[in-house]
Amino acid sequence: MKLSIITINYNNADGLRKTMESVFAQTCKEFEYIVVDGASTDGSVDVIRASALQAEGLTFTWISEKDSGIYNAMNKGLKMSHGEYTLMLNSGDYLVDEHVIERIMPELDGTDIVQGNNIEERANGVYRNRGYGKSDIDFFDVMKGQFLHQSSFCRRELFDKFGYFDESYRIAADTKFFMICLGRNDATFKYVDIDVTNYDLTGISADLSDKWVFCRKNEFNRIIKEVFSVRTFKFMLENDNKVRLYNDLHAHKWIWYLTMIVAHINNWFYKK
């Protein structure tokens, strides 16, 4: 199987209904769908049973049982999956239209992580979040984040090679996973300009209240210490602007050559 789409849910019946309907509406059915519910008490299980009637032609599996948090539920879904690639589409998030999977399938070409776009509906308008917006990401990009797990298709074997989501984190285990894959193990990455997911901004990962901003900052700092050495992080902080300037000069060859000519004249004049 090429793809497994995994949805986790806890007491979010309305959001779950929207998510499941977007998955079952896909024109391409060549994937499996897994729903992991955390023993919800708000009618979510009834939504799953009712929505399952739309699953004709699709491999659909679901469970409803207690879990210990978001990433414990995600890991359950991953261990149930059989696809070459996985997409974590949590309840409340939904695929932007019925052709998303049809468009993305040709792009799942063996690259470790294929990332598309998030659509984000904010109070002041609708925005397209492209994450990195490029395929040739470098170490500095990785260290700064910009991961869009809602629109990232990850090869299933990455979790077996580098580990599942760290369940000791509350909101940043996915960031840690991506940093391990891309920053420490050189997993391959490709950006495709395809709108994939309408991202639900009411979840805690998007919450901008002081509590969650503080939590996010603390967890990011913890990730840096666990994934990278102190020397590595210090090097990035001290050299980020220098390296980016160097790369920008190389991108414009005539500027680079002019800089080299000036440098040679300077060295000749001062006998250096």
Side-chain angles (χ1 to χ4, degrees), residues 122 201-214 216:
R122 301 183 181 273
L201 295 174
T202 63
I204 62 172
S205 62
D207 195 324
L208 296 178
S209 63
D210 290 343
K211 172 186 175 181
W212 291 111
V213 169
F214 182 73
R216 194 175 296 112

Side-chain angles (χ1 to χ4, degrees), residues 5 18-27 87 89-90 92-104 116-121 126-129 150-151 153 192-200:
I5 300 178
K18 187 183 299 185
T19 304
M20 294 186 70
E21 287 176 353
S22 77
V23 173
F24 290 140
Q26 293 302 301
T27 53
L87 172 67
L89 187 73
N90 296 342
D93 301 334
Y94 58 92
L95 301 173
V96 296
D97 62 40
E98 67 271 24
H99 300 291
V100 171
I101 302 304
E102 181 183 341
R103 287 193 292 267
I104 205 71
N117 305 323
N118 277 357
I119 300 299
E120 302 175 0
E121 298 181 9
V126 179
Y127 295 88
R128 177 176 287 106
N129 186 345
Q150 307 84 3
S151 296
F153 298 79
V192 291
D193 193 9
I194 295 174
D195 296 340
V196 176
T197 299
N198 192 303
Y199 176 35
D200 179 15

Side-chain angles (χ1 to χ4, degrees), residues 58-264:
L58 189 67
T59 302
F60 175 54
T61 309
W62 67 279
I63 59 171
S64 182
E65 61 184 30
K66 289 282 187 181
D67 57 55
S68 58
I70 294 172
Y71 295 110
N72 178 243
M74 285 186 175
N75 286 339
K76 284 184 181 182
L78 286 167
K79 291 171 183 176
M80 293 169 63
S81 66
H82 303 91
E84 179 185 352
Y85 283 86
T86 61
L87 172 67
M88 306 302 303
L89 187 73
N90 296 342
S91 65
D93 301 334
Y94 58 92
L95 301 173
V96 296
D97 62 40
E98 67 271 24
H99 300 291
V100 171
I101 302 304
E102 181 183 341
R103 287 193 292 267
I104 205 71
M105 277 294 190
E107 304 294 343
L108 305 183
D109 56 1
T111 303
D112 290 325
I113 300 173
V114 178
Q115 180 231 300
N117 305 323
N118 277 357
I119 300 299
E120 302 175 0
E121 298 181 9
R122 301 183 181 273
N124 58 344
V126 179
Y127 295 88
R128 177 176 287 106
N129 186 345
R130 290 186 165 88
Y132 292 121
K134 59 180 181 178
S135 296
D136 56 337
I137 59 174
D138 57 29
F139 182 71
F140 296 96
D141 293 319
V142 173
M143 293 288 276
K144 289 183 176 180
Q146 296 180 312
F147 308 111
L148 305 180
H149 88 252
Q150 307 84 3
S151 296
S152 292
F153 298 79
C154 302
R155 293 192 70 185
R156 174 66 176 75
E157 66 177 24
L158 294 177
F159 296 95
D160 295 325
K161 288 171 66 176
F162 306 133
Y164 288 74
F165 294 120
D166 186 338
E167 296 178 19
S168 67
Y169 283 81
R170 299 185 69 184
I171 58 175
D174 50 330
T175 297
K176 180 179 180 181
F177 172 76
F178 281 114
M179 283 192 172
I180 289 173
C181 291
L182 297 170
R184 200 165 73 185
N185 291 284
D186 292 326
T188 54
F189 178 86
K190 180 172 72 170
Y191 165 73
V192 291
D193 193 9
I194 295 174
D195 296 340
V196 176
T197 299
N198 192 303
Y199 176 35
D200 179 15
L201 295 174
T202 63
I204 62 172
S205 62
D207 195 324
L208 296 178
S209 63
D210 290 343
K211 172 186 175 181
W212 291 111
V213 169
F214 182 73
C215 178
R216 194 175 296 112
K217 181 178 179 180
N218 282 347
E219 290 198 350
F220 181 82
N221 290 335
R222 181 183 158 198
I223 290 168
I224 296 301
K225 293 177 182 178
E226 291 179 353
V227 177
F228 304 106
S229 70
V230 174
R231 291 189 188 93
T232 300
F233 191 53
K234 182 180 178 182
F235 173 84
M236 191 207 78
L237 291 178
E238 292 177 349
N239 293 279
D240 187 1
N241 291 334
K242 297 176 187 175
V243 173
R244 291 202 180 278
L245 175 60
Y246 184 84
N247 289 339
D248 289 343
L249 288 173
H250 269 82
H252 302 282
K253 294 297 184 183
W254 69 271
I255 298 179
W256 178 253
Y257 290 141
L258 180 60
T259 304
M260 289 298 96
I261 291 171
V262 172
H264 286 307

